[in-house]
Every structure is written in structure tokens, then in C-alpha cells.
């Protein structure tokens, strides 16, 4: 039987609170402006990538869906 993790521990709650405080400080530094926040996180991401300290996985490009075909007789295509 799989052990269920308790995420309501004081240790976890403390970490979550610390992360929220850091995020709020960053947001304040960016004037709570979404565009500035995005630019900030992109810059930090680029710096972390260049440092070579962390491994990043690039997302897969979206799969292109084939264009729907139309029937010339007004019937649904197969």
C-alpha cells in the first residue's frame, strides 16, 4: 500500500510561507506589473541556464494538426 504524504506539516507550511514571501517581494520589486514579472523570471531563467549549474529541459514544440479536408459533394470527409 502506498504511503500518503502529509503536506500539512509545520515544516512544509514553513517552506510554503517562505516561498510566498519571496514571490511577494519579487512582485513588489516589479511594481506588481505582470509584464515586468515575466521579464524578470525570463532573465533569471537565462542566467541560471548560462551558469550550467542546473539542467533544463526544453518543451516539445506543439504538434501541427493536419488541415481538414473538405468533400466536393457536400458530404463529410472520412
Amino acid at each position: 500500500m502506498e504511503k500518503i504524504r502529509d503536506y500539512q506539516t509545520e515544516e512544509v507550511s514553513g517552506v510554503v510561507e517562505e516561498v510566498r514571501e519571496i514571490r511577494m517581494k519579487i512582485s513588489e520589486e516589479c511594481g506588481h506589473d505582470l509584464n515586468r514579472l515575466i521579464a524578470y523570471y525570463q532573465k533569471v531563467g537565462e542566467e541560471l541556464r548560462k551558469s550550467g549549474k542546473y539542467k533544463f529541459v526544453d518543451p516539445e514544440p506543439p504538434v501541427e494538426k493536419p488541415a481538414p479536408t473538405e468533400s466536393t459533394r457536400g458530404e463529410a470527409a472520412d
Side-chain angles (χ1 to χ4, degrees), residues 22 25-27 29-30 33-47:
I22 292 168
K25 287 179 185 177
I26 293 169
S27 181
E29 289 174 11
C30 293
D33 181 284
L34 182 59
N35 292 320
R36 287 176 59 192
L37 276 168
I38 291 170
Y40 171 83
Y41 284 119
Q42 287 174 334
K43 179 182 173 190
V44 169
E46 288 174 14
E47 290 172 0

Side-chain angles (χ1 to χ4, degrees), residues 6-18:
D6 181 12
Y7 291 108
Q8 298 299 321
T9 65
E10 287 183 34
E11 181 181 4
V12 171
S13 295
V15 171
V16 170
E17 187 61 33
E18 183 179 356

